Amino acid sequence: MSIAHNLGFPRIGVKRELKRALEAYWKGEQDQASLEAVGRELRARHWKLQQEAGLDLIPVGDFTWYDHVLDTSVLLGVVPKRFGDVHGSTSVAGGRTPGATAVTGDVDFKTYFRMARGRAPGDKAGQADTYACEMTKWFDTNYHYIVPEFEAQQTFRVASGKLFSELAEAKAMGLRAKPVLVGPLTYLWLGKTKGAAFDRLTLLERLLPVYAGILARLKTEGVEWVQMDEPILALDLPQAWKSAFETAYNRLQSSGLKLMLATYFGALLDNTGVACHLPVEGLHIDLARAPDQLTSVLDQLPAYKILSLGVVDGRNIWRADLERALDVLESAKARLGARLWVAPSCSLLHTPVDLAHETKLDDEFKSWLAFATQKVTEVVTLARGLNQGRAAISRELAASRAAVESRKTSKRIHRPEVKQRAQALGANEDKRHAPYAQRRELQHKLLKLPLLPTTTIGSFPQTQAIRNARRDFKAGRISEAEYRERMKQEIAFAVKKQEEIGLDVLVHGEAERNDMVEYFGELLQGYAFSENGWVQSYGSRCVKPPIIFGDVARPRPMTVEWIAYAQSLTKKLMKGMLSGPITMLQWSFVRDDQPRSQTALQIALALRDEVLDLEKAGIKAVQIDEPALREGLPLRKADWADYLRWAAHAFRVSVGAVRDDTQIHTHMCYAEFNDIIDSIAALDADVITIETSRSDMELLDAFVNFSYPNEIGPGVYDIHSPRVPTRDEIVRLMEKAAKVVPAERLWINPDCGLKTRDWPEVEAALGNMVSAAKTLRERLQR
Ligand code: GLN
Ligand code: ZN
């Protein structure tokens, strides 16, 4: 019998119940007990749903108040010293580690949230030096985890009873529970060292006994299978880390529990041998991302081992092609027999909860989709088909076949003119007419900008008035004409402010944009929006990615009216503002029926028309934001070049048709450019603005070694902080920058958009920025 299991379920709740409860708790509007009640209810609901769908094994421990890596840190007692005495009386999720004394007790609830966000309810601002732990992206997803901090003297101990108490809850519901743990090597890999430099792999020896203890404890609780997540096996690993897998799992073998080693997000490739031969009972592989790895895994898998095949895509929202999945499963079954399990490719954390709550999408469209709840059913259906034959699931197969057929042929998806245009694109259409050096002269003649021009990144404060107007418009309380009028007033206000401040290149302020991807997605064909398609980004924060389902086309100009209006209000240069093709792709659910590069190119062509329309309307500078370019990098280095090639191509296609004297800007919210600097240069933007303030301009070093040819605006202050930078600070940073990049090629700007700030802060900061520019010009021109 093939078993159907799941690797993890979204925690947030279909109506984002966890978000609401957490935020009420943080504000002090709700106490810990009521927060815990919400968590308990969500766990029970999600377990029941999976049980009723027919899963054989149900994940436990995938629920978290904030982040599962933070839970792992707390479970293992990895709490940085700055959080002080962490053994409060109320432990994380109530469950106390049995037998724990006061001194070795559980990390308390408030410490947990201080680690996550720097403060807990009741803390006064700046009361204790408990700045939050760092947060970073979970592999190539949009989920962020809390980075574990290790010191050389790091010790480990079981410091949370959460996993055990949740297991007890699950058992009380009569579930066949499979606890989920972040494996020891992935856990160490994801962390960073603090203090004197040392190799965090050296901590493994100390860490393993604690893992062994946890497993022993789970064994006494009657657990049969434990899922050990080791997604780093899909990465390029140093040899020492590969070897450490053997050490680790040899040591954990003695628990007597069965371990399912879960890998996902990519192919095992050179780690296939390591993964197959570890002394564990089962291996899970991701066949959605890496279907080709099945053969080599089947070839290397020892004859005793269970193989779990992730055939239902846990990273996207498309309904599975059950027939194709069953073909794969049946051929594997011929080799494996009953040693074959069925699963989603990875945890369903990265998909929205339930399609049933979408009331605005039509039936045909919904027939193409599956959210987490539907994906669980797909997994169960596939296992049933495998165990009882195709006839047992004929109805489901027919529905899946119909969806596959309609996606193949639907006129809503396929626009021949879009495909043809992409295909017919000439080899030179992704190049500006003249090389940068010539464009630079033409632009300087036309634009007549001073040395060190000042500008901003695009957005100005999204005030309550702006949000109210949008809400009123969406609710039908004000007409479209009224809404547009109000947005124009906001634009006029932003233009006036910028003139008063004395900036050189102005922006319209993006008042009309709720979000930089959603705004354009709503105006493009081929994009759709869900009502409740929320996916956790970090903690209580969720995003609702647009769904790119079809060929992308632009029925009409998207920004021209706004930008032209803004330009009409001023003699200064007004910069047009667009979101780039890679960002539009990266922050959406994308099609799985054509390569991402193809979708990116279609978006680029739509943007190309928009850029030309802006130019026609008299706009002389256009910025194409690509904050997501870097995060699109594949997990394996070997795949980088290909990605960077098509990504840069798409960007250049979007701007390739403009006149030489039209100045193209781009913006990226980071500055780790060392490893991709040649691709950044290959974008051939006339001006790039980047984030450098937090690293004190050190990140500009990439630009020294490479000698980046075009103009650069290194961010001079961090817009994430309410702090207003002084003029002298900005002068100092720019003088530092001028040592690396000649002043003639430098711009002065903040490091990102200002939409989260308020006007008084913005005016003060930009005022100092403009006066710093004056000082610098005097000094440099002397
Ligand atoms: N133009 C956008 C803004 O200013 C850029 C946002 C971003 O880089 N994430 O808000
Ligand atoms: Zn930015």
Side-chain angles (χ1 to χ4, degrees), residues 457 625 627 667-670 751-753:
I457 305 305
D625 290 323
H667 164 70
M668 291 162 199
C669 318
Y670 47 83
D751 71 358
C752 196

